[in-house]
Amino acid sequence: MKGRDTARSAFEAIRGHRMRSILTMIGILIGIAAVTITVGIGQGAQTQVASQIDKLGSNLLIVTPGSTTSSSGFRGGRGSATTLSQSDATTLANPQVAPDVAAVTGVASTSSVVQTSGQNWTTTIDGTSPNWLTTRDRTVTQGRFITAQDVATDNPVVVIGTDTSSELFGTQSPIGQTVQIAGSTYTVVGLLNSSGSSSSSSTSDDDVVIMPSSTYATRVAAPASRSAVSTIYVQAKDGADLSAAYQEVQNALATNHGVTLAGADFTVTSQQSLVATATSTNKTLTVMLGGIAAISLLVGGIGVMNIMLVSVTERTKEIGLRKSLGATPRAIRSQFLTEASTLGLAGGALGLGLGVGAAYFLPKVLNQPVTISPVVAGGSLAVSLAIGVIAGVYPAARAAQLAPIDALRTP
């Protein structure tokens, strides 16, 4: 029997038992769709996290304070202490101390109510310097950003994010408007370009009020912490200098604080470490969820094997007649393997189609990107074909071993 005849016989057998074939393919379909969607969600999450981390700025180092310890001995979380100050930022900006650093920005932050004549909104208040735009890789879409003159004169001006503007002023332009913060009046001089939600929390990077660091210290900060900063952003000259800048920042701050690196009261984090940690976490979750979804593929493969064994039993006389007419065991085996692989491949193709369709609709529901890569698509089809072949090996071998006389005698 030629290959073309074998394929035709296999397809005729599949068409002759449509309902059974459809039910068999559904098992493979569900498994492939589940794996495709799960891996797609994992890859989409990795892309989203990397994109959000990149929005913090290029070649960026983030310095945060250490933790506090209460009188009863309980330690607060990292960043709960006030061990960083504006003088630390000034030290790091010195090219003789840190020659591989391009820009430094100290940021003091708090949460406060911002009021207008008719609205109020609780948001993050940041006191910082003009370098903030550079280190955070942000731009101003209307008006201007704070200047060195604003810092030198404690100018009561603010620059706000798009979300803050929407909450306070609706669709009106915020430029020139006044707001009340902690009992003081400020003029809005700029509107930041939209950046998006933070990758590490549910907060938005567009919900923020920026003011000069000197204005923040005199009007917003508590008297005991006017020189403290919550975070110091350090931008290296380029990617190749990031490691050197990291060492320079650590050594300079340790000298400033009179501590050793082992007992440092601050933490320096690089972009690479953030990306690596987030990617590793997402990969672990993807593998775990993919493994759970793969169980349905195993169930689908067992279903294909069961159906093929039933088919062998039902078609015993047919197999005996084919053998008596000259069909070789190889031809019989090829026919049943073709049937099983066709069912597996068809189920895989339908499952991949369902997964691609879900990848289009799910982001609208979950607000989470789903990425279907060509490697995953090709791998899904290859796996479904392999499942069909593996599941068909035993039934095909059993059919090929039937003796013609015994097969014809089967009632």
Side-chain angles (χ1 to χ4, degrees):
M1 183 182 292
K2 298 181 179 180
R4 184 175 56 186
D5 296 330
T6 299
R8 185 175 62 250
S9 299
F11 294 147
E12 289 176 353
I14 292 174
R15 285 197 300 267
H17 301 85
R18 288 185 179 87
M19 183 56 66
R20 186 170 66 190
S21 299
I22 290 173
L23 293 175
T24 302
M25 287 189 293
I26 286 177
I28 302 295
L29 181 154
I30 294 174
I32 291 295
V35 171
T36 301
I37 294 171
T38 300
V39 175
I41 290 175
Q43 291 183 335
Q46 292 176 29
T47 302
Q48 184 184 43
V49 168
S51 174
Q52 292 292 344
I53 291 176
D54 286 342
K55 289 180 180 178
L56 291 174
S58 57
N59 307 327
L60 193 66
L61 296 172
I62 303 172
V63 186
T64 53
S67 62
T68 58
T69 302
S70 67
S71 57
S72 56
F74 291 101
R75 300 181 64 192
R78 180 179 297 174
S80 58
T82 55
T83 56
L84 297 178
S85 64
Q86 287 290 352
S87 64
D88 289 325
T90 302
T91 298
L92 297 179
N94 187 340
Q96 295 181 344
V97 175
D100 293 295
V101 170
V104 178
T105 304
V107 179
S109 297
T110 190
S111 179
S112 181
V113 177
V114 182
Q115 295 177 311
T116 64
S117 57
Q119 297 291 337
N120 65 82
W121 182 249
T122 301
T123 186
T124 301
I125 312 297
D126 285 351
T128 187
S129 65
N131 280 341
W132 187 90
L133 279 183
T134 301
T135 56
R136 294 302 305 273
D137 197 22
R138 298 289 294 272
T139 58
V140 174
T141 187
Q142 292 183 34
R144 66 174 178 84
F145 197 64
I146 59 176
T147 64
Q149 182 66 20
D150 293 329
V151 176
T153 60
D154 297 351
N155 199 6
V157 295
V158 294
V159 178
I160 63 177
T162 53
D163 289 351
T164 310
S165 176
S166 176
E167 294 293 341
L168 294 176
F169 304 107
T171 57
Q172 295 181 359
S173 173
I175 307 303
Q177 304 276 9
T178 59
V179 296
Q180 294 280 333
I181 303 174
S184 298
T185 302
Y186 301 82
T187 301
V188 180
V189 296
L191 177 67
L192 293 170
N193 202 3
S194 178
S195 174
S197 299
S198 171
S199 61
S200 60
S201 68
S202 59
T203 60
S204 172
D205 291 333
D206 296 327
D207 189 9
V208 66
V209 173
I210 307 292
M211 66 175 60
S213 57
S214 56
T215 307
Y216 179 96
T218 57
R219 301 185 180 221
V220 178
S225 58
R226 286 180 175 176
S227 63
V229 295
S230 308
T231 309
I232 299 177
Y233 295 98
V234 181
Q235 187 182 52
K237 289 183 176 180
D238 56 48
D241 296 324
L242 189 61
S243 178
Y246 185 95
Q247 296 297 327
E248 292 164 3
V249 168
Q250 278 197 320
N251 293 332
L253 291 179
T255 301
N256 261 15
H257 296 186
V259 297
T260 63
L261 292 180
D265 54 0
F266 58 86
T267 302
V268 183
T269 307
S270 68
Q271 290 288 71
Q272 285 91 333
S273 63
L274 289 174
V275 172
T277 300
T279 300
S280 176
T281 301
N282 284 327
K283 282 184 177 180
T284 301
L285 291 175
T286 301
V287 170
M288 181 183 69
L289 294 175
I292 295 174
I295 295 175
S296 60
L297 276 178
L298 177 61
V299 174
I302 294 173
V304 173
M305 181 179 293
N306 286 337
I307 293 299
M308 295 309 299
L309 285 172
V310 171
S311 181
V312 169
T313 302
E314 290 182 347
R315 296 159 61 188
T316 300
K317 283 191 175 182
E318 175 193 334
I319 295 170
L321 181 59
R322 286 180 179 274
K323 280 197 166 187
S324 65
L325 293 176
T328 63
R330 180 179 180 180
I332 299 297
R333 186 165 48 248
S334 297
Q335 179 181 343
F336 280 87
L337 279 176
T338 301
E339 289 183 33
S341 58
T342 300
L343 291 173
L345 187 59
L350 293 173
L352 179 60
L354 179 60
V356 171
Y360 177 78
F361 289 104
L362 280 179
K364 302 177 181 179
V365 178
L366 304 177
N367 194 26
Q368 166 78 30
V370 180
T371 304
I372 306 297
S373 68
V375 174
V376 172
S380 297
L381 292 177
V383 168
S384 62
L385 177 60
I387 288 175
V389 172
I390 294 172
V393 166
Y394 175 67
R398 183 175 176 180
Q401 292 172 357
L402 288 175
I405 188 64
D406 293 334
L408 290 173
R409 286 177 177 174
T410 301

